[in-house]
Amino acid sequence: MMVHAKDDIRTRLPFRVHAKDNIRRLPFRTRRMLSFCFILVLVVMLGTSYGNRLAGLSTLDDYMNICMDGIIHKDKPTPEAELFQKCTPWKDRSCCTKEITESLHINATWYNFNWNHCPQPLSPKCKGRFQQDLCFYECSPNVGPWLVKVDGMKIRKERFVDVPLCQSECDAWWEDCRDDFTCTDNWSRNFNWTTGTSQCPTGSYCLTFNEMFKNSTNFCEKVWDHSWKVVNNTDPDGCFVMWWQQDAENPNYQVAKDRALKLLQASSSLTVNVSNCFFVFVAILVVVIR
């Protein structure tokens, strides 16, 4: 049998040259789909690497029975016989212990954070609001759907972002703090920690909350670097509160459950897309290498 020179040369080409040539011959839409599938699979692989436990959340129970990965948080929420003062509502399912809640009310600082960073100390009613917020941070079992991984922090490996806070809750917090003083609008990022405690940034000066933040929404969303996202009380997706009567059911539970179900639905769609991409990738690969 006679072998054509062209065919003979082509069979001797390195595999990668042969494959690259075949890829170039593919229709544009096919190449675009191949690129999309490659990127999608890469994103999924990166999302499940580097010890990110949040990437493994795959059931409703996973989202509803997880505590933030902090140095004094529980692994999972459990009941407490009692919690201290402003943390009381979380005793039925809590990510904190009674001892922790007592300490955060009594100690002058928390994680070496100085509440009275201005010459004018926080008023009792304003500090009380921040203690209520801190109870949520330490104790809430409902932040699973909003947790994200963070690096380089000593007190936690995760944080919650854009948890929906009811406008009425934010407004009440604002009213109790608007006449108090602070030297920065972002308490998570802007303080000077070189002394081991939070100090006002160099060159800053103390203003009232009203002067610093201008309005309640800006205050609630910015003070803790967008941990909260203020939403209307009538938002169809619901919103969180930081206090409810001790004998009442936790109103945040249903809001978190609805959010978790939406995340699971989106994750299911992503899984289907990844599976489809895998089969497309294999089919195209067969065409390319033959």
Side-chain angles (χ1 to χ4, degrees), residues 259-275:
R259 173 63 176 171
L261 289 172
K262 286 187 176 182
L263 291 175
L264 290 170
Q265 183 178 15
S267 176
S268 177
S269 298
L270 178 62
T271 301
V272 170
N273 287 335
V274 171
S275 298

Side-chain angles (χ1 to χ4, degrees), residues 41-267:
V41 172
L42 184 63
V43 168
V44 172
M45 290 174 62
L46 290 174
T48 55
S49 60
Y50 305 114
N52 184 5
R53 68 169 186 154
L54 300 176
L57 302 182
S58 59
T59 68
L60 182 61
D61 185 69
D62 288 341
Y63 279 107
M64 301 305 293
N65 285 290
I66 187 173
C67 295
M68 183 168 59
D69 190 355
I71 58 174
I72 58 176
H73 287 80
K74 300 176 184 176
D75 293 331
K76 292 185 176 183
T78 57
E80 292 287 324
E82 60 178 328
L83 293 178
F84 199 72
Q85 291 186 6
K86 297 183 185 301
C87 299
T88 300
W90 283 275
K91 73 181 186 65
D92 290 338
R93 290 183 74 249
S94 176
C95 288
C96 62
T97 63
K98 177 189 174 184
E99 292 73 24
I100 292 300
T101 62
E102 189 169 357
S103 295
L104 72 83
H105 281 83
I106 295 173
N107 291 351
T109 62
W110 195 247
Y111 300 117
N112 292 327
F113 183 86
N114 182 12
W115 300 106
N116 299 321
H117 45 269
C118 281
Q120 308 89 338
L122 286 183
S123 65
K125 63 179 181 180
C126 183
K127 186 175 180 181
R129 286 287 181 180
F130 275 100
Q131 286 174 331
Q132 205 169 57
D133 169 73
L134 189 54
C135 285
F136 182 96
Y137 171 85
E138 298 290 359
C139 304
S140 177
N142 305 125
V143 296
W146 293 273
L147 289 177
V148 297
K149 188 174 183 289
V150 294
D151 297 312
M153 297 196 70
K154 295 180 180 179
I155 63 171
R156 64 189 183 195
K157 296 180 180 179
E158 295 165 357
R159 60 167 296 200
F160 53 82
V161 176
D162 287 343
V163 171
L165 180 66
C166 294
Q167 183 74 62
S168 58
E169 287 281 304
C170 176
D171 290 345
W173 189 0
W174 171 249
E175 288 302 320
D176 283 346
C177 291
R178 65 185 303 168
D179 295 325
D180 284 79
F181 287 82
T182 186
C183 56
T184 180
D185 60 355
N186 191 320
W187 288 14
S188 292
R189 293 182 178 271
N190 293 347
F191 281 108
N192 182 341
W193 288 88
T194 54
T195 62
T197 59
S198 58
Q199 303 294 323
C200 287
T202 302
S204 66
Y205 47 93
C206 291
L207 299 171
T208 65
F209 280 45
N210 199 48
E211 293 170 313
M212 181 68 71
F213 296 102
K214 309 302 183 187
N215 59 68
S216 60
T217 297
N218 190 50
F219 160 64
C220 294
E221 293 185 346
K222 203 166 185 180
V223 68
W224 292 128
D225 196 30
H226 302 284
S227 292
W228 295 108
K229 180 178 178 60
V230 180
V231 301
N232 195 290
N233 283 43
T234 59
D235 190 287
D237 291 329
C239 56
F240 275 30
V241 298
M242 288 189 277
W243 177 265
W244 61 93
Q245 293 300 319
Q246 181 176 343
D247 296 331
E249 291 186 1
N250 179 349
N252 298 334
Y253 177 84
Q254 189 62 46
V255 180
K257 181 180 178 181
D258 291 344
R259 173 63 176 171
L261 289 172
K262 286 187 176 182
L263 291 175
L264 290 170
Q265 183 178 15
S267 176

